[in-house]
CSV table of all heavy atoms in Angstrom, one decimal:
chain,number,residue,atom,x,y,z
A,649,ALA,N,0.0,-25.5,-9.4
A,649,ALA,CA,0.7,-26.5,-10.3
A,649,ALA,C,1.0,-27.8,-9.5
A,649,ALA,O,1.5,-27.8,-8.4
A,649,ALA,CB,2.0,-25.9,-10.9
A,650,THR,N,0.7,-28.9,-10.1
A,650,THR,CA,1.0,-30.2,-9.6
A,650,THR,C,2.1,-31.0,-10.4
A,650,THR,O,2.7,-31.9,-9.9
A,650,THR,CB,-0.2,-31.1,-9.5
A,650,THR,OG1,-0.9,-31.2,-10.7
A,650,THR,CG2,-1.2,-30.5,-8.5
A,651,THR,N,2.3,-30.5,-11.6
A,651,THR,CA,3.3,-31.1,-12.5
A,651,THR,C,4.0,-29.9,-13.1
A,651,THR,O,3.5,-28.8,-13.2
A,651,THR,CB,2.8,-32.0,-13.6
A,651,THR,OG1,1.8,-31.4,-14.3
A,651,THR,CG2,2.2,-33.3,-12.9
A,652,ARG,N,5.2,-30.1,-13.6
A,652,ARG,CA,6.0,-29.0,-14.1
A,652,ARG,C,5.5,-28.5,-15.5
A,652,ARG,O,5.3,-29.3,-16.4
A,652,ARG,CB,7.5,-29.3,-14.2
A,652,ARG,CG,8.4,-28.2,-14.5
A,652,ARG,CD,9.8,-28.5,-14.3
A,652,ARG,NE,10.4,-29.3,-15.4
A,652,ARG,CZ,11.6,-29.7,-15.4
A,652,ARG,NH1,12.4,-29.5,-14.4
A,652,ARG,NH2,12.1,-30.4,-16.5
A,653,ALA,N,5.3,-27.2,-15.6
A,653,ALA,CA,5.0,-26.5,-16.9
A,653,ALA,C,5.8,-25.2,-16.9
A,653,ALA,O,6.1,-24.6,-15.9
A,653,ALA,CB,3.5,-26.3,-17.0
A,654,ASP,N,6.1,-24.7,-18.1
A,654,ASP,CA,6.9,-23.5,-18.2
A,654,ASP,C,6.1,-22.3,-17.6
A,654,ASP,O,4.9,-22.2,-17.7
A,654,ASP,CB,7.2,-23.2,-19.7
A,654,ASP,CG,8.1,-24.2,-20.3
A,654,ASP,OD1,8.6,-25.1,-19.6
A,654,ASP,OD2,8.3,-24.2,-21.6
A,655,ASP,N,6.9,-21.4,-17.0
A,655,ASP,CA,6.4,-20.2,-16.5
A,655,ASP,C,6.6,-19.1,-17.5
A,655,ASP,O,7.6,-19.1,-18.2
A,655,ASP,CB,7.0,-19.8,-15.1
A,655,ASP,CG,6.7,-20.8,-14.0
A,655,ASP,OD1,5.5,-21.2,-13.9
A,655,ASP,OD2,7.6,-21.1,-13.2
A,656,ASP,N,5.7,-18.1,-17.5
A,656,ASP,CA,5.9,-16.9,-18.3
A,656,ASP,C,6.3,-15.7,-17.5
A,656,ASP,O,6.4,-14.6,-18.0
A,656,ASP,CB,4.6,-16.6,-19.2
A,656,ASP,CG,3.4,-16.5,-18.3
A,656,ASP,OD1,3.5,-16.4,-17.1
A,656,ASP,OD2,2.3,-16.5,-18.9
A,657,GLU,N,6.5,-15.9,-16.2
A,657,GLU,CA,7.0,-14.8,-15.4
A,657,GLU,C,8.1,-15.4,-14.5
A,657,GLU,O,8.0,-16.6,-14.0
A,657,GLU,CB,5.9,-14.3,-14.4
A,657,GLU,CG,4.8,-13.5,-15.2
A,657,GLU,CD,3.8,-12.9,-14.2
A,657,GLU,OE1,3.8,-13.3,-13.1
A,657,GLU,OE2,3.0,-12.1,-14.7
A,658,GLY,N,9.1,-14.6,-14.2
A,658,GLY,CA,10.2,-15.0,-13.3
A,658,GLY,C,11.3,-15.9,-13.8
A,658,GLY,O,12.2,-16.1,-13.1
A,659,ASN,N,11.2,-16.3,-15.1
A,659,ASN,CA,12.2,-17.2,-15.6
A,659,ASN,C,13.3,-16.5,-16.3
A,659,ASN,O,13.6,-16.7,-17.5
A,659,ASN,CB,11.5,-18.2,-16.6
A,659,ASN,CG,10.7,-17.5,-17.7
A,659,ASN,OD1,10.4,-16.3,-17.6
A,659,ASN,ND2,10.4,-18.2,-18.7
A,660,ALA,N,14.0,-15.6,-15.5
A,660,ALA,CA,15.1,-14.9,-16.0
A,660,ALA,C,15.9,-14.4,-14.8
A,660,ALA,O,15.5,-14.5,-13.6
A,660,ALA,CB,14.6,-13.7,-16.8
A,661,ILE,N,17.2,-14.0,-15.1
A,661,ILE,CA,18.0,-13.3,-14.1
A,661,ILE,C,18.2,-11.9,-14.5
A,661,ILE,O,18.5,-11.7,-15.7
A,661,ILE,CB,19.4,-14.1,-13.9
A,661,ILE,CG1,19.1,-15.5,-13.4
A,661,ILE,CG2,20.3,-13.3,-13.0
A,661,ILE,CD1,20.4,-16.3,-13.4
A,662,PHE,N,18.1,-10.9,-13.6
A,662,PHE,CA,18.3,-9.5,-14.0
A,662,PHE,C,19.5,-9.0,-13.3
A,662,PHE,O,19.8,-9.3,-12.1
A,662,PHE,CB,17.1,-8.7,-13.6
A,662,PHE,CG,15.8,-9.1,-14.4
A,662,PHE,CD1,14.9,-9.9,-13.8
A,662,PHE,CD2,15.6,-8.5,-15.6
A,662,PHE,CE1,13.8,-10.3,-14.5
A,662,PHE,CE2,14.4,-8.8,-16.3
A,662,PHE,CZ,13.5,-9.7,-15.8
A,663,ILE,N,20.3,-8.2,-14.0
A,663,ILE,CA,21.5,-7.5,-13.5
A,663,ILE,C,21.2,-6.0,-13.8
A,663,ILE,O,21.1,-5.6,-14.9
A,663,ILE,CB,22.8,-8.0,-14.1
A,663,ILE,CG1,22.9,-9.5,-13.9
A,663,ILE,CG2,24.0,-7.3,-13.5
A,663,ILE,CD1,24.2,-10.1,-14.6
A,664,VAL,N,21.2,-5.2,-12.7
A,664,VAL,CA,20.9,-3.8,-12.9
A,664,VAL,C,22.1,-3.0,-12.3
A,664,VAL,O,22.8,-3.4,-11.4
A,664,VAL,CB,19.6,-3.4,-12.2
A,664,VAL,CG1,18.5,-4.2,-12.7
A,664,VAL,CG2,19.7,-3.5,-10.7
A,665,ASN,N,22.2,-1.7,-12.8
A,665,ASN,CA,23.1,-0.8,-12.2
A,665,ASN,C,22.8,-0.5,-10.8
A,665,ASN,O,21.6,-0.1,-10.5
A,665,ASN,CB,23.1,0.5,-13.1
A,665,ASN,CG,24.2,1.5,-12.7
A,665,ASN,OD1,24.2,2.0,-11.6
A,665,ASN,ND2,25.2,1.7,-13.5
A,666,ALA,N,23.7,-0.6,-9.9
A,666,ALA,CA,23.5,-0.4,-8.4
A,666,ALA,C,23.2,1.0,-8.1
A,666,ALA,O,22.6,1.3,-7.0
A,666,ALA,CB,24.6,-0.9,-7.6
A,667,LEU,N,23.5,2.0,-8.9
A,667,LEU,CA,23.3,3.4,-8.6
A,667,LEU,C,22.0,3.9,-9.0
A,667,LEU,O,21.3,4.7,-8.4
A,667,LEU,CB,24.4,4.2,-9.1
A,667,LEU,CG,24.4,5.7,-8.7
A,667,LEU,CD1,24.6,5.9,-7.2
A,667,LEU,CD2,25.5,6.5,-9.5
A,668,ASP,N,21.5,3.5,-10.2
A,668,ASP,CA,20.3,4.0,-10.8
A,668,ASP,C,19.2,3.0,-11.2
A,668,ASP,O,18.1,3.3,-11.6
A,668,ASP,CB,20.6,4.9,-12.0
A,668,ASP,CG,21.3,4.2,-13.1
A,668,ASP,OD1,21.2,3.0,-13.2
A,668,ASP,OD2,21.8,4.9,-14.0
A,669,GLY,N,19.5,1.7,-11.0
A,669,GLY,CA,18.6,0.6,-11.3
A,669,GLY,C,18.3,0.3,-12.8
A,669,GLY,O,17.4,-0.5,-13.1
A,670,THR,N,19.1,1.0,-13.7
A,670,THR,CA,18.9,0.7,-15.1
A,670,THR,C,19.4,-0.8,-15.4
A,670,THR,O,20.3,-1.3,-14.8
A,670,THR,CB,19.7,1.7,-16.0
A,670,THR,OG1,21.0,1.7,-15.6
A,670,THR,CG2,19.1,3.1,-15.8
A,671,LEU,N,18.8,-1.3,-16.4
A,671,LEU,CA,19.1,-2.7,-16.7
A,671,LEU,C,20.4,-2.8,-17.4
A,671,LEU,O,20.7,-2.1,-18.4
A,671,LEU,CB,18.0,-3.3,-17.7
A,671,LEU,CG,18.1,-4.8,-18.0
A,671,LEU,CD1,17.9,-5.6,-16.8
A,671,LEU,CD2,17.1,-5.1,-19.1
A,672,VAL,N,21.3,-3.7,-16.8
A,672,VAL,CA,22.6,-4.0,-17.4
A,672,VAL,C,22.5,-5.2,-18.3
A,672,VAL,O,23.0,-5.2,-19.4
A,672,VAL,CB,23.6,-4.2,-16.3
A,672,VAL,CG1,25.0,-4.7,-16.9
A,672,VAL,CG2,23.9,-2.9,-15.5
A,673,ARG,N,21.8,-6.2,-17.8
A,673,ARG,CA,21.7,-7.4,-18.6
A,673,ARG,C,20.5,-8.3,-18.1
A,673,ARG,O,20.3,-8.4,-16.9
A,673,ARG,CB,23.0,-8.2,-18.5
A,673,ARG,CG,22.9,-9.6,-19.2
A,673,ARG,CD,24.3,-10.1,-19.5
A,673,ARG,NE,24.9,-9.5,-20.7
A,673,ARG,CZ,26.1,-9.7,-21.1
A,673,ARG,NH1,26.9,-10.5,-20.4
A,673,ARG,NH2,26.6,-9.1,-22.1
A,674,LYS,N,19.8,-8.8,-19.0
A,674,LYS,CA,18.7,-9.8,-18.7
A,674,LYS,C,19.2,-11.1,-19.2
A,674,LYS,O,19.5,-11.2,-20.4
A,674,LYS,CB,17.4,-9.4,-19.3
A,674,LYS,CG,16.3,-10.4,-19.1
A,674,LYS,CD,15.0,-9.9,-19.7
A,674,LYS,CE,13.9,-11.0,-19.6
A,674,LYS,NZ,12.6,-10.5,-20.3
A,675,ILE,N,19.2,-12.1,-18.4
A,675,ILE,CA,19.6,-13.4,-18.8
A,675,ILE,C,18.4,-14.4,-18.9
A,675,ILE,O,17.8,-14.6,-17.8
A,675,ILE,CB,20.7,-14.0,-17.8
A,675,ILE,CG1,21.9,-13.0,-17.7
A,675,ILE,CG2,21.2,-15.4,-18.3
A,675,ILE,CD1,22.9,-13.4,-16.6
A,676,SER,N,18.1,-14.9,-20.0
A,676,SER,CA,16.9,-15.7,-20.2
A,676,SER,C,17.1,-16.5,-21.5
A,676,SER,O,18.1,-16.4,-22.2
A,676,SER,CB,15.7,-14.9,-20.3
A,676,SER,OG,15.7,-14.1,-21.5
A,677,ASN,N,16.1,-17.4,-21.7
A,677,ASN,CA,16.1,-18.2,-22.9
A,677,ASN,C,16.2,-17.3,-24.2
A,677,ASN,O,16.9,-17.6,-25.1
A,677,ASN,CB,14.9,-19.1,-23.0
A,677,ASN,CG,14.9,-20.3,-22.1
A,677,ASN,OD1,16.0,-20.6,-21.6
A,677,ASN,ND2,13.8,-20.8,-21.8
A,678,SER,N,15.4,-16.2,-24.1
A,678,SER,CA,15.2,-15.5,-25.4
A,678,SER,C,16.2,-14.4,-25.5
A,678,SER,O,16.6,-14.1,-26.7
A,678,SER,CB,13.8,-14.8,-25.3
A,678,SER,OG,13.6,-14.0,-24.2
A,679,THR,N,16.7,-13.8,-24.4
A,679,THR,CA,17.6,-12.6,-24.6
A,679,THR,C,19.1,-13.0,-24.7
A,679,THR,O,19.9,-12.3,-25.3
A,679,THR,CB,17.5,-11.7,-23.4
A,679,THR,OG1,17.8,-12.4,-22.2
A,679,THR,CG2,16.1,-11.1,-23.3
A,680,THR,N,19.5,-14.1,-24.1
A,680,THR,CA,20.9,-14.5,-24.2
A,680,THR,C,21.1,-15.9,-24.7
A,680,THR,O,22.2,-16.4,-24.7
A,680,THR,CB,21.5,-14.4,-22.7
A,680,THR,OG1,20.7,-15.1,-21.8
A,680,THR,CG2,21.6,-13.0,-22.3
A,681,GLY,N,20.0,-16.6,-25.0
A,681,GLY,CA,20.2,-18.0,-25.5
A,681,GLY,C,20.6,-19.0,-24.5
A,681,GLY,O,21.1,-20.1,-24.9
A,682,VAL,N,20.4,-18.7,-23.2
A,682,VAL,CA,20.7,-19.7,-22.2
A,682,VAL,C,19.5,-20.7,-22.1
A,682,VAL,O,18.5,-20.3,-21.6
A,682,VAL,CB,21.0,-19.0,-20.9
A,682,VAL,CG1,21.2,-20.1,-19.8
A,682,VAL,CG2,22.1,-18.1,-21.0
A,683,SER,N,19.6,-21.8,-22.7
A,683,SER,CA,18.5,-22.7,-22.7
A,683,SER,C,18.2,-23.3,-21.4
A,683,SER,O,19.0,-23.4,-20.5
A,683,SER,CB,18.8,-23.9,-23.7
A,683,SER,OG,19.9,-24.6,-23.3
A,684,GLY,N,16.9,-23.7,-21.2
A,684,GLY,CA,16.5,-24.3,-20.0
A,684,GLY,C,16.0,-23.4,-18.9
A,684,GLY,O,15.6,-23.9,-17.8
A,685,MET,N,16.0,-22.1,-19.1
A,685,MET,CA,15.5,-21.1,-18.1
A,685,MET,C,14.0,-21.0,-18.3
A,685,MET,O,13.5,-20.0,-18.8
A,685,MET,CB,16.2,-19.8,-18.2
A,685,MET,CG,17.7,-19.9,-17.9
A,685,MET,SD,18.5,-18.3,-17.9
A,685,MET,CE,17.8,-17.5,-16.4
Side-chain angles (χ1 to χ4, degrees):
T650 55
T651 56
R652 191 168 77 181
D654 292 352
D655 291 321
D656 53 14
E657 292 181 347
N659 52 345
I661 297 172
F662 294 96
I663 303 176
V664 303
N665 186 293
L667 187 61
D668 60 18
T670 55
L671 184 66
V672 173
R673 176 162 281 176
K674 176 182 177 181
I675 304 172
S676 67
N677 286 342
S678 58
T679 60
T680 53
V682 178
S683 62
M685 297 184 69

